[in-house]
Amino acid sequence: MLILVAFVIIILLIGAVFSVDVAYMHMVRAELRTATDAAARAGSEALARTQNPAAARAAAIDAAARNNVAGDGLTLRPGDVRIGGLTSTASGRFTFDPGGNPLTAVSVVGRRDNSSADGSVPLFFARIFSTNQFEPVQEATAAASVRDVALVLDISGSMSTITSTGTRLSDLQAAVNIFIDEVQVSSPHTFLSLVSYSTTPNKEVELTANFADVRSRVNNFTANGFTAIGNALTMGSDSLASDPLTRAFAAKTIIVMTDGNHNTGPSPNVTVSTAVARGHQVHTITFSPGANQTLMQSVASATSGGQHIHADDAADLAQAFRDIARSLSVVLVD
C-alpha cells in the first residue's frame, strides 16, 4: 500500500509540475496576442493619421514595447511590421496584401522564439524532462478606414419641389447633416469635399477635415437650373485626385445624388470612365420617383464596389446617406 501511495503522489506531483508550466504558457500566449494586437492597431491608426509608413512602423514598435510578454516589453524588429493593403476573398473576408494599394493595413508578427529579439520563453519545471523553452508566435492585422470622399449633390430646379416634409432640397440638407454626423463618429480619418451642380458644377469645398464648412455650404444651397450630372461627376473625381489635402493612401469615394434626369453636358455614363481610370469608387443615390434609376445604377456598377440606392421620400434619403456613411468606417483586426 505504501508503494502504491508513493506512486500516486509522484504522479500527482508530475501533474502539478506540468499544470504550472501549461498555465504559464497560456498566460504568455495571451500576453503575446494582446501585445501584437495593440501594435497592429497603433500602427494602423498612425498610418491613417499620418499617411507615413515609417511613422506607422514606429508606432507599432512602440506599442509592442509597452506591453509585457513573460515579464518584458515585446521587442519588434522593423521586419516584424509590414505595411500593405487588404484583398477581399470570395467568402467576403479580407486578407492582408503586402503589395496592396492603397496602403491601409498594418500586419505585425510577434515572436518569442529563438529568432526573435527577446528570445524564447524559459519554462519552470518542464526542463526536468528536457523541455527548456516555449516559442509562441502571434500575428495580427489591423486596417483603419482612411477615405477621401467627394459629395456631389444635385441643386437643380426640380430640387425645389414640395414634399411632405418641406422640399426635396431641405430633405437633402437634413440627410447630408445625418451623413456628416455618422462620419464624424464612426470614421474619424475621413476627409470630405463638396461639389454642387445644376446647369454647371461648382466646387463648394475642397477636401477638408473641417466638416462645419461643408455643413454651412449645404445648409445655404438654393435650387435652380438644369442637371449636369456628368460634368459634376468629373469635378468630384478631380477633387479626389488633385485637391491640396488629397492623401496618397486614402481610398477614394464619390457619392452622387440626383432627384431627376441628366439633361445637359456629357452623360455620367461617359464621364464615369475618369473615375474608373483613377480607381475611384462611385456610389449613387436617386431621390424621387422621377429619377433615372437605370442610368445611376449603371454609373455605380461601372466602379469597383459602387452601389446604387433609391430613395422615395425624406426618410429613405436619410437612411441612404446613413448606410453609405457606415460603410466607410470599417476597422478590421485578424
Side-chain angles (χ1 to χ4, degrees), residues 5 74 92 102 130 132-133 144-145 150 153 175 179 202 230 253 272 302 307 310:
V5 170
L74 178 64
S130 300
N132 298 322
Q133 57 197 19
S145 177
L153 306 179
F179 171 85
N202 181 55
T253 299
V272 72
Q307 61 176 314
H310 178 71

Side-chain angles (χ1 to χ4, degrees), residues 32-56:
L32 183 60
R33 180 68 187 186
T34 298
T36 306
D37 281 353
R41 287 180 179 273
S44 67
E45 189 282 330
L47 183 64
R49 176 169 40 82
T50 68
Q51 298 284 283
N52 186 327

Side-chain angles (χ1 to χ4, degrees), residues 107-123:
S107 178
V108 174
V109 178
R111 304 178 187 276
R112 282 300 308 265
D113 57 17
N114 283 327
S115 67
S116 67
D118 298 319
S120 59
V121 179
L123 297 175

Side-chain angles (χ1 to χ4, degrees), residues 213-252:
D213 196 13
V214 177
R215 287 185 196 271
S216 176
R217 296 296 183 94
V218 169
N219 291 336
N220 285 302
F221 280 164
T222 57
N224 62 79
F226 295 103
T227 310
I229 303 175
N231 283 334
L233 175 56
T234 299
M235 183 173 285
S237 181
D238 289 344
S239 169
L240 299 183
S242 59
D243 277 2
L245 293 185
T246 190
R247 296 170 292 177
F249 301 154
K252 311 292 185 180

Side-chain angles (χ1 to χ4, degrees), residues 156-244:
S156 61
S158 58
M159 289 293 289
S160 61
T161 301
I162 301 297
T163 67
S164 61
T165 50
T167 65
R168 290 180 186 171
L169 183 59
S170 65
D171 292 344
L172 172 64
Q173 290 165 330
V176 172
N177 277 284
I178 289 171
F179 171 85
I180 292 174
D181 289 341
E182 288 283 348
V183 170
Q184 285 182 312
V185 170
S186 61
S187 188
H189 300 296
T190 293
F191 286 2
L192 294 178
S193 70
L194 177 63
V195 173
S196 66
Y197 70 95
S198 53
T199 305
T200 58
N202 181 55
K203 173 76 75 64
E204 300 280 354
V205 181
E206 291 184 332
L207 272 171
T208 181
N210 179 8
F211 295 170
D213 196 13
V214 177
R215 287 185 196 271
S216 176
R217 296 296 183 94
V218 169
N219 291 336
N220 285 302
F221 280 164
T222 57
N224 62 79
F226 295 103
T227 310
I229 303 175
N231 283 334
L233 175 56
T234 299
M235 183 173 285
S237 181
D238 289 344
S239 169
L240 299 183
S242 59
D243 277 2

